[in-house]
Amino acid sequence: MATLAVNSKSFKRYGATTKLAPGSSVAFTWPSDPATVTEIFVDKPAGAAANIRLELVKA
């Protein structure tokens, strides 16, 4: 599971996704602020190794 947060350089939150599981997606408007900071949070339960790929696509 992964979450993407989009913030200003002073970390004012513009928006964030919910927890995304592999195969899920979400659409949102990217802020016009040129100093945008992104944070990616990954949650993995205990157990076998796993991987996840996040992809940003301009629509």
Side-chain angles (χ1 to χ4, degrees):
M1 307 276 287
T3 304
L4 172 72
V6 182
N7 307 311
S8 71
K9 69 178 182 179
S10 62
F11 286 91
K12 173 189 170 208
R13 175 110 346 136
Y14 289 128
T17 66
T18 57
K19 287 187 177 182
L20 299 171
S24 60
S25 65
V26 65
F28 59 92
T29 301
W30 196 265
S32 59
D33 180 358
T36 300
V37 175
T38 56
E39 295 178 294
I40 298 171
F41 305 95
V42 178
D43 296 322
K44 184 203 161 296
N51 60 57
I52 190 167
R53 181 183 79 191
L54 301 176
E55 184 176 354
L56 291 173
V57 178
K58 184 176 180 179

